[in-house]
Amino acid sequence: MIDPFGRSVSYLRVSVTDRCDLRCVYCMSEDMTFLPKVDVLTLEELDRLCGAFVAKGVRKIRLTGGEPLVRRNIMTLVESLGRHVAAGRMDELTLTTNATQLTKYAEGLKAAGVRRLNVSLDTLDAAKFTAITRWGKIEQVMDGLMAAKAAGLAIKINTVALKGVNEDEHDDLVAWCGEHGFDLCFIETMPMGEVQHRAGQYLPLSAVRARLERRWRLTDSDHRTGGPARYVSVGETGGRIGFITPFTHNFCESCNRVRVTCTGTLYMCLGQQDAADLRTPLRASESDGPLNEAIDAAIGRKPKGHDFIAERAGTAAVPRHMSVTGG
Ligand code: SAM
Ligand code: SF4
């Protein structure tokens, strides 16, 4: 799949549910209304949809949400997609998760062929964690993380840099990740959905990096994971820190990804509203013909880039919440 700007689309992110067991303040409002079940693709439909993308050249799939591991019977989808990896049709199957369910699922994920996980964690402080997630318990996340580590899964911690919330903890996070052998990636808040607590929390990662450099020896690294992060190596820990900077850097030139929601809506760009309905062609026919046509038409209008601008970091550039597309 080649888009109009010559970029090859080889990475599919699939939001398998809009539901979550947490309510992070920058991601969801407290009283979210979730989708009715009929609108949500079944796991079999999601599997078929992913299979169509794999047949078109997608080499990497990331399951996300909402919280992917709260979807009932999610392991049937993970196991089915894992077979594409085992057969060499795909390079990688991975997940982004809040880690609350990992004590239950870590071993199964590893057995299904998952090698790496992205875990979202903004603080190491129990009270702050509960405040950010509105009711989460950090012990559950720590237990999940340790279960994943014990199962042999490589872990990258994703931390949203939040002004006045966790900026005093970035050094501790670097040290803690170094200790456990986790990579760490800082993300700027993005203007997604009407959530109450984002205004004023935007913290440019240039400032985060400058502050980290007071304590750590950071050297630019050419490490790439096929994503938008730019990495540095940490001299003292031997670990890596990534920075995802949608505002301070334009990360669109090398964009290789598209996102599909749990309703089968395909977003060609995280920061744009244009979308394609894949559920109708998927449900209209047992053959993949109509689905393939809809995918081709959508890739043919993948936009050049997003419209996020830093000045608007407190207001929504796109009205959908991050939990719709899963970041
Ligand atoms: N529930 C899973 C999790 O938290 O890892 C997967 C879905 S969550 C929507 C994916 C990522 O999006 C998380 O790392 C979260 O911190 C990030 N995120 C949510 N809202 C965001 C926002 N407004 N700006 C930047 N990142 C955001
Ligand atoms: Fe749930 Fe992840 Fe959004 Fe937090 S960031 S509310 S864990 S979907």
Side-chain angles (χ1 to χ4, degrees), residues 15 26-28 65-66 190 192-193 270 320-327:
S15 176
Y26 48 74
C27 178
M28 292 194 184
M190 297 177 219
M192 307 278 299
L270 180 65
R320 63 180 188 277
H321 288 96
M322 192 67 104
S323 52
V324 174
T325 40

Side-chain angles (χ1 to χ4, degrees), residues 26-27 64-67 96-98 120 160 188-190 198 322 326:
Y26 48 74
C27 178
T64 174
E67 173 47 44
T96 299
T97 173
N98 62 24
S120 308
V160 179
E188 286 173 349
T189 56
M190 297 177 219
R198 197 178 38 236
M322 192 67 104

